[in-house]
Amino acid sequence: MSAPATTELPVVVIGAGPAGLAAAAHLLDRGLEPLVLEAGTVAGAAVRQWSHVRLFSPWGEVTDPAAEKLLAPTGWVKPAAATYPSGGDWADHYLKPLAEVLGDKVRFGATVTGVSRTGRDRIVDADRETQPFVVHLTTADGGEERIFARAVIDASGTWATPGPAGGSGLPALGERAAADHITYRVPDLKDPAVRARYAGKRTAVIGSGASAFTALAYLADLAQAGDGRGTHAVWILRRGISGSTFGGGEADQLPARGALGLAAKAAVDNGYTEAVTGFRTDAIERDGEDRLILIGEDGRRLDPVDEVIVLTGFRPDLSFLSEIRLGLDERLQAPLELAPLIDPNQHSCGTVHPHGVNELSHPERDVYLVGMKSYGRAPTFLAMTGYEQVRSIAASLSGDREAAERVELTLPETGVCGGAGLFDEPEAVQAGDGGCCAAPATLQIGVGAPSTSGGC
């Protein structure tokens, strides 16, 4: 079967999350035909898996203008701009109705298994860029299909590939065998079964970001509840505690995030959490009572715990893009032009420069990683960054280069200083009284209406 002319084909968008659905909205606004392929059964399937967690940013910062334009004729009313949605709210009150208005432009139960150029594996140069993309997928009933596309926008995120407990980036010895006592998600302690798993137990929390703060705050709340007596957390940090460990606090431009860091600090200060610093997990063993013992690279053995919550970040799944010529940074697995702008070894707070189609392009023309996936292993991605990315890409695909390159983005102070590269240098983190950036950075290219900062 020969492929149809490229100009007649849709732009395939992988993933019906916030960035993917926004991409579809922007493509439609530009007169292009999107086809969103979502592996789950509903819009925002990954977001729904953390439906109990509240976003850092208010409603006014987590909806996309092109999406709002599509929703307006349906009678959709944007929630109060200053209120903070949970993941479930975001999915139910924004992503679900957005997918509904997109109708048959969104296919559920469609898992992408491969992307290539039609008739060209990654080795072949001849006539490559004139060939459409071919996207292979499996359906919910196990069937296989292929779809031809003029361009591919991968907004599949990183949720499905969390980082392991091991300090070397690999699973710790014994980690897989202890899987029945380990989770890689912030637990929903409002769920009775989940609550019973942690109530009165000793739980290790591995990680130093916002997800770890959330878990520590939840466990501290449980410890103070009548059914949670005896609940205690052990916070495992790969570096020392400094003035910036708990984020920006009251100085954070995202107040909800600052409050979360303060709640984690209170959990430590009030004795509901003990911190273990400079500990990189090398192995996990079971004791005779089916409890877990964490062993560090330096040989330290921690007291046994009942459960382990691993919150060490996420990484992109690139397996189905193996036949595509991607240009990725060897460390972050982010696009080469974008990586220096988001590298946590160099950047924190509001120092990320605005970016669009130019920074997201690859050697393979018309294929893009967007949203969380574009950041590879870098943290602190903001939702409005993804919306600006797909706006720029849609403009480029429509031939409007001026609009594509007119990128504006105001980023709030993240309250996160000292990137991953500083975990062995706590004194570097402390330089400057533990402070962070003094104010959000407004950076712009060209002329246009400024976008709002925000994210999850």
Side-chain angles (χ1 to χ4, degrees):
M1 174 182 175
S2 60
T6 301
T7 54
E8 302 172 2
L9 298 174
V11 176
V12 165
V13 179
I14 305 173
L21 294 178
H26 280 280
L27 290 165
L28 280 175
D29 195 47
R30 288 281 178 175
L32 301 176
E33 183 69 14
L35 177 61
V36 182
L37 302 177
E38 166 58 47
T41 58
V42 291
V47 173
R48 291 179 182 280
Q49 292 187 42
W50 49 270
S51 60
H52 57 292
V53 178
R54 195 160 299 281
L55 276 69
F56 295 137
S57 297
W59 271 112
E61 299 180 346
V62 296
T63 58
D64 175 78
E68 291 182 24
K69 182 178 175 181
L70 271 182
L71 287 165
T74 70
W76 178 81
V77 178
K78 184 175 181 177
T83 60
Y84 291 84
S86 66
D89 296 333
W90 203 17
D92 286 336
H93 303 307
Y94 172 62
L95 299 178
K96 180 176 182 289
L98 180 54
E100 288 173 349
V101 77
L102 286 166
D104 60 6
K105 293 174 174 48
V106 181
R107 284 189 57 182
F108 296 106
T111 301
V112 173
T113 57
V115 180
S116 187
R117 289 280 187 180
T118 303
R120 308 289 187 274
D121 63 23
R122 68 182 297 155
I123 299 175
V124 179
D125 290 332
D127 204 26
R128 187 177 188 87
E129 289 196 357
T130 65
Q131 301 303 309
F133 292 96
V134 59
V135 179
H136 284 216
L137 61 92
T138 58
T139 58
D141 61 4
E144 293 183 80
E145 294 183 25
R146 64 180 176 185
I147 293 171
F148 297 103
R150 61 175 293 181
V152 175
I153 299 174
D154 182 358
S156 60
T158 57
W159 177 255
T161 47
S168 300
L170 302 173
L173 298 179
E175 183 172 343
R176 293 188 178 93
D180 56 332
H181 288 288
I182 300 176
T183 184
Y184 299 85
R185 307 285 189 263
V186 175
D188 181 3
L189 297 184
K190 292 181 180 179
D191 181 309
V194 177
R195 191 176 182 87
R197 176 175 175 175
Y198 296 96
K201 304 291 180 63
R202 181 178 168 87
T203 298
V205 177
I206 304 176
S208 60
S211 294
F213 292 169
T214 303
L216 294 174
Y218 283 3
L219 291 170
D221 287 344
L222 177 59
Q224 297 171 72
D227 62 341
R229 190 182 304 275
T231 303
H232 190 75
V234 182
W235 187 19
I236 311 298
L237 290 151
R238 293 173 181 173
R239 57 185 179 189
I241 291 180
S242 71
S244 64
T245 296
F246 297 99
E250 295 179 358
D252 199 314
Q253 293 289 320
L254 295 176
R257 179 172 49 201
L260 184 59
L262 294 175
K265 185 176 187 301
V268 175
D269 292 344
N270 294 330
Y272 299 113
T273 296
E274 64 180 275
V276 177
T277 60
F279 189 95
R280 280 175 266 171
T281 307
D282 183 61
I284 299 175
E285 296 180 354
R286 291 183 190 264
D287 68 5
E289 300 178 3
D290 198 33
R291 304 179 81 194
L292 302 182
I293 299 172
L294 274 60
I295 304 169
E297 292 180 351
D298 57 4
R300 276 187 290 170
R301 299 173 66 91
L302 303 185
D303 291 338
V305 297
D306 301 286
E307 300 289 337
V308 178
I309 302 173
V310 180
L311 301 168
T312 56
F314 297 87
R315 51 190 61 179
D317 176 10
L318 302 167
S319 60
F320 59 86
L321 299 173
S322 61
E323 294 305 314
I324 293 296
R325 296 176 177 180
L326 298 178
L328 298 175
D329 179 78
E330 62 184 11
R331 294 171 300 163
L332 298 184
Q333 296 178 295
L336 283 169
E337 295 298 318
L338 176 61
L341 308 182
I342 62 174
D343 186 350
N345 292 291
Q346 304 294 331
H347 290 278
S348 57
C349 306
T351 64
V352 175
H353 290 266
H355 58 277
V357 66
N358 291 335
E359 292 82 4
L360 296 167
S361 294
H362 294 276
E364 193 81 70
R365 182 178 175 182
D366 291 341
V367 61
Y368 303 97
L369 311 184
V370 302
M372 281 292 300
K373 192 159 187 177
S374 71
Y375 269 42
R377 299 191 182 202
T380 64
F381 176 82
L382 300 176
M384 291 303 287
T385 300
Y387 298 156
E388 178 64 6
Q389 289 177 342
V390 297
R391 183 207 63 78
S392 176
I393 290 167
S396 178
L397 290 173
S398 72
D400 189 347
R401 290 298 301 183
E402 188 276 332
E405 296 180 5
R406 188 181 66 238
V407 179
E408 296 191 3
L409 189 61
T410 302
L411 292 176
E413 180 181 332
T414 66
V416 181
C417 283
L422 299 178
F423 66 85
D424 280 329
E425 304 173 43
E427 66 280 359
V429 180
Q430 293 171 343
D433 297 327
C436 202
C437 306
T442 303
L443 300 148
Q444 55 188 15
I445 300 175
V447 178
S451 60
T452 310
S453 62
C456 55

